[in-house]
Amino acid sequence: MEQMGAFLALASAVCYGFVDFAGGLLSRRVHFAVVTFLGQIGGLLLALAAALLVPAEAVRPADVMWGTLSGAGSATAMHFLNRGLSRGAMSVVIPVSAVTGVALSVLCGVFFLGDRPGPLAWLGICITVPALWLVSAGGTGRGDSGGTQSGPVLADGLVASLGVAVQYIGLAQADPASGLWSVAVGRLAAVLLLLPTTWRHTAEFRKSARSSGWAVLIGAGAALGLILYLWATRLQMLAVAVVLASLYPAVPTALGLAVLREKVTRAQVTGLVSSAAAVILLSLG
């Protein structure tokens, strides 16, 4: 069961990796607030369909509350992540948000939720943090738009990481008997929270129907990643599931090498190899 949980968490990471890569590119053509809002609309549609298909024994008020909290974290994470990516700072905002989000989630799982990872899992967790940084070139500026934006971009990444932690921790608290309704509730909460910010950029919606469609599709992919993560937490410890799901920076890095023809660095190779070692250790631990 734990191995299946690890597989689902890795599948979640793959989904999020593709979403971040596509969302980052789209946010350079369309205002990031519009991309974020439409993405949550797409996520809500997919989550509702999935929730209706998956049986739920009972949805308690607590499940609604945890889903809402997770949605608030998701809205915060995606808003600031896309804002950072729209500035062309993929190599800064993604590792900062991933590394800090992992650290906060693991600490919460261990100190407040009773997670007790084994020695191999702890070794994997310790390897993951530097691996995530290295796999994105250590924030060296690959793809950045300039040094003058490093401060705001770093702030975007840190705020996004808080949202990531709240999203992961909140969703994991929902009772398995609630099925996938906590994910659907979270997407609805995210849409409502993002509405005031998006209202100021309504003119952007008319620029390109194709871009709007891509934003909705990207959001559906993010919701799928959350669903896979939720299933993973029901088979695996939160600390381990979060770390595996947070290996998503490896995907945009690999896509950047394959699609954008970016040059691989020694730091990236080290990070990718370390990430693979972390996956093995976490799966065994």
Side-chain angles (χ1 to χ4, degrees), residues 15-43:
C15 282
Y16 264 109
F18 277 100
V19 163
D20 279 352
F21 181 77
L25 294 180
L26 187 61
S27 293
R28 297 176 188 180
R29 302 200 309 268
V30 183
H31 196 280
F32 71 90
V34 174
V35 174
T36 304
F37 180 77
L38 290 176
Q40 294 301 334
I41 293 289

Side-chain angles (χ1 to χ4, degrees), residues 48-66:
L48 278 174
L52 289 170
L53 290 173
V54 175
E57 297 176 16
V59 181
R60 305 171 304 162
D63 300 320
V64 174
M65 181 196 73
W66 287 118

Side-chain angles (χ1 to χ4, degrees), residues 25-26 66 99 106 114 122 147 154-156 166 225 231:
L25 294 180
L26 187 61
W66 287 118
V99 169
V106 169
W122 268 121
L154 182 61
D156 285 339
V166 170
W231 279 335

Side-chain angles (χ1 to χ4, degrees), residues 120-195:
L120 289 178
W122 268 121
L123 181 58
I125 290 169
C126 292
I127 291 175
T128 297
V129 173
L132 286 174
W133 191 263
L134 289 170
V135 82
S136 296
T140 57
R142 177 178 54 85
D144 295 353
S145 59
T148 59
Q149 300 222 41
S150 60
V153 165
L154 182 61
D156 285 339
L158 288 173
V159 177
S161 72
L162 292 174
V164 168
V166 170
Q167 170 186 264
Y168 280 154
I169 294 169
L171 193 61
Q173 305 315 303
D175 194 308
S178 64
L180 298 177
W181 284 106
S182 55
V183 179
V185 168
R187 297 319 91 209
L188 178 59
V191 168
L192 295 176
L193 286 171
L194 291 169
L195 191 57

Side-chain angles (χ1 to χ4, degrees), residues 204-228:
E204 295 283 338
F205 287 91
R206 296 189 292 270
K207 283 191 173 181
S208 172
R210 184 177 181 181
S211 295
S212 296
W214 275 114
V216 171
L217 187 61
I218 288 169
L224 176 59
L226 269 183
I227 290 171
L228 292 170

Side-chain angles (χ1 to χ4, degrees), residues 80-98:
F80 286 94
L81 185 65
N82 282 336
R83 187 169 79 171
L85 293 173
S86 70
R87 293 167 170 166
M90 195 174 292
S91 63
V92 175
V93 70
I94 288 181
V96 167
S97 62

